[in-house]
Amino acid sequence: MVVRTDVCVVGGGPAGVMLGLLLAREGVDVVVLEKHDDFFRDFRGDTVHPSTMNLIDDLGLREAFDAIPHKPLSRLDAVVNGIRIHAIDFTTLPEPNRFLTLMPQWDLLAMLAEAGRAFPSFDLRMGVEVTGVRRSEDGRVTGVHAQTAQGPVEIEAGLTVAADGRASTVRDAVGLRPREDGVPADVAWFRLPEPETPLPDTLAWITTEAMLVTFPRPGYLQSGMLIPKDSFDAYRAEGIDAFRDRVARAVPRLAGSVRTLESFDDVKLLSVQINRLEQWHAPGVLFIGDAAHAMSPAFGVGINYAVQDAVAAARALLPALRSGADVAVDRATAAVQRRRERPTAMMQRIQRAVHARIATGRGLEVLQNPPTLRQRAVLRIALPLLRPVVARVVGYGFRPERLR
Ligand SMILES: Cc1cc2nc3c(=O)[nH]c(=O)nc-3n(C[C@H](O)[C@H](O)[C@H](O)COP(=O)(O)OP(=O)(O)OC[C@H]3O[C@@H](n4cnc5c(N)ncnc54)[C@H](O)[C@@H]3O)c2cc1C
């Protein structure tokens, strides 16, 4: 079977679904292919940043968003060696979106997909795994080959957009490789029941031994422990009791909850990567989101950056797609890279610095409890000065996009 469309978007993550919606609302025929049958996977991050909230407002989706259970956080706290630090304060941002929201990513994606389905040219196909690209005789990418439970399918498209994440199949098929920046940490990912007395809103718990993140999801805490890169097997070898003890030492109030981890079958390894393609486009194809630049979990900005890419891509591509000329489309794909590469590189530089100094997977020695006089001065004087800057950088990223 061959399906013909203007744009084939590979990957139904934040970048792909958002781009599909933005193109379809302008009348462009777009097919979005997602290899899973649903959006329900717990390795996805849960953060919706203020700049993504602004876009949700721009799209007129606020009411739909508010109808889904979510948790707005106007401050992000870290507990460092038992000392609570109000690290980020989003109330310093302009109205109306002065908070970060925690919402399971599958709910966010389902909402965007639902909004897309309101447009006849939006065609989201779940359970379709792209296996390679089609090419014309001159080597231009003209769509993809895919596999479904019912058999193979071919998509013929004027433009293919790879939004298929950091292990991008399209990227491999086109023969592009991102430049890797070494990250010293991986994440051990597990669910814990909320303790009887709920934890105060806290994203990170840092001790001299470990760093733990906790996202409240409906009914449980999605938790992640940063561990040194490639050390998961060593943790497994130590056994689940030792792991439970580490979690309990990092967050003593989770000592009861962590007993629910029965074995390492309850703990998944998520590998952390930071990388970036040198060229985000080739004739007939554009790379956005993690397929162009894998983001680490630091500050939870990956979803935001994927969404911002989609907005920039839609803006650049729409006039070119309307012209129907390949050369215009290729110029537009190059323009997307020019617009988004610098903001991405700047954020990745910050993430690398965070991994070099804080999120190393080995715990942190920077703050003593009780703090020294110098540390107290930093907390009292420097932190309040830095807070609005950090709120802007984390909440908006660099060069946030808006829909006009
Ligand atoms: C441990 C960890 C925690 C993180 N936590 C956060 C967080 O809290 N907040 C945050 O903002 N970011 C977080 N990130 C980063 C974030 O997950 C990514 O930056 C973001 O999801 C990128 O979005 P995307 O749409 O580009 O790609 P993805 O979200 O990876 O989506 C790609 C989609 O493509 C599909 N796909 C892949 N291959 C194919 C194929 N061949 N055919 C069809 N479909 C395919 C996949 O199934 C997937 O649905 C985290 C990353 C890690 C590693």
Side-chain angles (χ1 to χ4, degrees):
M1 182 176 60
V2 179
V3 177
R4 291 191 175 79
T5 183
D6 294 335
V7 179
C8 172
V9 178
V10 183
V17 177
M18 179 58 102
L19 180 61
L21 164 62
L22 294 176
L23 294 179
R25 74 201 271 270
E26 297 294 333
V28 174
D29 265 340
V30 55
V31 174
V32 181
L33 305 175
E34 167 54 47
K35 70 177 174 184
H36 291 96
D37 293 326
D38 54 41
F39 295 126
F40 197 79
R41 270 151 295 136
D42 76 359
F43 59 82
R44 296 176 177 283
D46 289 3
T47 49
V48 185
H49 282 56
S51 49
T52 304
M53 290 306 306
N54 286 345
L55 291 169
I56 284 166
D57 287 344
D58 292 350
L59 282 164
L61 292 176
R62 189 50 176 266
E63 212 176 302
F65 185 92
D66 284 344
I68 302 168
H70 62 274
K71 190 173 175 63
L73 297 174
S74 46
R75 278 188 339 201
L76 295 187
D77 286 4
V79 175
V80 183
N81 290 335
I83 300 169
R84 179 165 289 272
I85 295 175
H86 306 312
I88 306 177
D89 185 352
F90 292 114
T91 62
T92 56
L93 296 179
E95 291 277 16
N97 293 314
R98 309 196 308 162
F99 50 84
L100 173 145
T101 306
L102 292 180
M103 175 186 279
Q105 200 186 119
W106 50 86
D107 285 336
L108 176 73
L109 292 174
M111 181 197 76
L112 294 174
E114 189 56 35
R117 286 191 194 99
F119 303 101
S121 61
F122 180 84
D123 182 0
L124 168 64
R125 298 181 178 212
M126 306 298 287
V128 182
E129 178 160 10
V130 169
T131 51
V133 294
R134 292 161 59 104
R135 288 182 189 270
S136 60
E137 274 175 12
D138 61 0
R140 183 179 183 79
V141 173
T142 56
V144 296
H145 313 287
Q147 194 61 42
T148 71
Q150 292 73 42
V153 59
E154 299 280 309
I155 312 286
E156 191 182 304
L159 174 68
T160 300
V161 179
D164 50 347
R166 59 205 187 129
S168 169
T169 304
V170 177
R171 201 171 62 195
D172 288 348
V174 172
L176 295 178
R177 286 185 65 167
R179 192 175 54 78
E180 294 288 339
D181 288 323
V183 179
D186 286 329
V187 176
W189 201 237
F190 48 95
R191 292 177 177 199
L192 296 179
E194 276 270 14
E196 260 171 41
T197 321
L199 291 179
D201 290 339
T202 312
L203 275 190
W205 310 80
I206 305 171
T207 65
T208 49
E209 185 191 25
M211 176 168 179
L212 204 81
V213 289
T214 48
F215 296 110
R217 281 185 181 165
Y220 64 96
L221 285 177
Q222 179 59 57
S223 311
M225 181 185 275
L226 268 89
I227 58 173
K229 192 99 200 146
D230 300 328
S231 65
F232 191 63
D233 285 346
Y235 277 70
R236 284 180 76 104
E238 274 180 21
I240 195 68
D241 286 340
F243 186 76
R244 285 196 293 234
D245 289 348
R246 268 177 212 270
V247 173
R249 282 196 297 276
V251 189
R253 288 181 59 185
L254 290 179
S257 308
V258 79
R259 277 192 230 120
T260 56
L261 295 181
E262 287 181 4
S263 72
F264 264 93
D265 292 344
D266 299 329
V267 184
K268 282 185 211 143
L269 168 68
L270 297 182
S271 163
V272 177
Q273 268 177 301
I274 298 178
N275 66 32
R276 201 165 68 246
L277 279 177
E278 225 159 76
Q279 190 162 317
W280 299 18
H281 54 91
V285 63
L286 168 69
F287 297 84
I288 61 170
D290 270 21
H293 50 74
M295 307 299 282
S296 103
F299 301 124
V301 292
I303 298 166
N304 198 26
Y305 266 65
V307 166
Q308 307 288 320
D309 282 2
V311 175
R315 188 184 303 119
L317 290 171
L318 280 167
L321 290 167
R322 286 191 185 118
S323 82
D326 286 352
V327 62
V329 169
D330 290 347
R331 244 185 248 136
T333 57
V336 176
Q337 175 173 3
R338 277 199 303 280
R339 180 153 181 98
R340 296 302 308 160
E341 185 173 21
R342 204 168 139 75
T344 306
M346 287 163 77
M347 183 53 78
Q348 288 184 323
R349 198 172 307 140
I350 293 176
Q351 290 193 323
R352 282 200 306 272
V354 167
H355 282 295
R357 295 190 186 91
I358 302 169
T360 58
R362 294 185 189 278
L364 191 65
E365 303 261 1
V366 291
L367 188 59
Q368 288 170 23
N369 191 356
T372 61
L373 273 179
R374 190 154 171 248
Q375 289 169 342
R376 239 178 267 168
V378 170
L379 291 177
R380 281 219 196 102
I381 300 163
L383 204 59
L385 292 175
L386 280 175
R387 245 182 235 129
V389 181
V390 180
R392 202 159 255 279
V393 170
V394 173
Y396 290 164
F398 299 103
R399 192 179 274 169
E401 307 286 348
R402 288 304 292 255
L403 292 163
R404 306 273 175 227

